[in-house]
Amino acid sequence: AGLTRGSRSENWNWTDEWRTRFGMDYQLDKKSVVSVEGSFSDNQASQQEKDEIRSDNGNPTENTVQQSRAKHHQPQRYWDISFYADRKWTNGLKTQLALDYYNRKQNQDYAFTSDLYDSELNLIQADNARFLNKTQRHLKGFSYTLDLSWKIQDGFELKTGTKGSFSEVDNSSEYDY
């Protein structure tokens, strides 16, 4: 008689997500336009899993059952806001300004445990295998652009500008085996 294995799995998934977005453009006068836009997202996702593996090698005293459980929770929250302004000063001079701020958080909590039983379902070893993982990520930042353009003469235009960004990143992880 050889080794035979049987397995069974159960999964439960759950997601709760909420999103919103807004925007507004406003013409201040015939030469000026401003715009504001924002978005927000909140996602709470969870998953649970249960597995069972039965090993049978023909000898009842050596048959085993391994039961494992996993839980995974991964919430994330994003929000962004943008501002844009466009101004035509004269027939030849134009400026554009864009500002963006973003804030993104994502966490993860994953736990896996496995217990080993004999064929009569008597516990042989608790936490035969164990793994825990917790991570936190946070990114926030600000970016800008400022563009100037001049029409020098028919068919020619001079453009110049600047752009930059500032960001802060915080990552942390915890592992336990």
Side-chain angles (χ1 to χ4, degrees):
L3 177 67
T4 59
R5 289 189 162 205
S7 66
R8 178 176 57 99
S9 294
E10 298 174 21
N11 289 295
W12 301 273
N13 294 308
W14 172 76
T15 301
D16 184 15
E17 186 169 13
W18 189 78
R19 293 177 185 229
T20 188
R21 183 178 192 96
F22 68 90
M24 181 185 76
D25 294 334
Y26 184 73
Q27 187 169 357
L28 296 173
D29 55 36
K30 291 182 181 182
K31 297 181 178 185
S32 304
V33 174
V34 294
S35 175
V36 176
E37 185 176 300
S39 64
F40 177 80
S41 171
D42 186 66
N43 183 342
Q44 302 291 323
S46 291
Q47 178 180 1
Q48 291 188 24
E49 185 176 315
K50 184 178 176 182
D51 294 305
E52 182 176 286
I53 300 173
R54 294 182 175 271
S55 300
D56 184 356
N57 65 0
N59 184 347
T61 60
E62 296 178 11
N63 295 342
T64 59
V65 175
Q66 180 174 333
Q67 292 181 348
S68 57
R69 293 158 310 284
K71 290 183 180 181
H72 188 208
H73 183 62
Q74 189 172 355
Q76 51 193 359
R77 178 173 288 165
Y78 301 154
W79 63 276
D80 303 293
I81 190 158
S82 302
F83 172 80
Y84 174 80
D86 190 333
R87 170 81 178 168
K88 294 178 184 174
W89 297 95
T90 64
N91 286 341
L93 176 63
K94 183 170 109 173
T95 59
Q96 295 174 317
L97 173 68
L99 306 170
D100 293 302
Y101 179 78
Y102 52 91
N103 190 328
R104 299 173 180 191
K105 290 182 181 182
Q106 182 179 20
N107 297 325
Q108 177 174 284
D109 189 357
Y110 180 79
F112 173 85
T113 58
S114 177
D115 300 328
L116 189 61
Y117 299 87
D118 64 17
S119 60
E120 302 294 319
L121 293 181
N122 296 313
L123 182 64
I124 295 174
Q125 183 177 4
D127 288 342
N128 179 47
R130 181 176 174 229
F131 174 76
L132 300 175
N133 177 13
K134 290 185 179 191
T135 59
Q136 295 179 349
R137 297 178 190 107
H138 189 187
L139 170 66
K140 61 182 173 179
F142 171 78
S143 65
Y144 67 91
T145 61
L146 175 62
D147 296 319
L148 303 170
S149 61
W150 293 273
K151 281 195 175 190
I152 298 173
Q153 54 181 304
D154 289 338
F156 292 99
E157 189 175 8
L158 175 63
K159 292 184 177 186
T160 186
T162 183
K163 65 180 176 177
S165 65
F166 305 94
S167 61
E168 182 180 324
V169 178
D170 181 22
N171 290 321
S172 64
S173 295
E174 294 178 35
Y175 294 98
D176 185 14
Y177 295 97

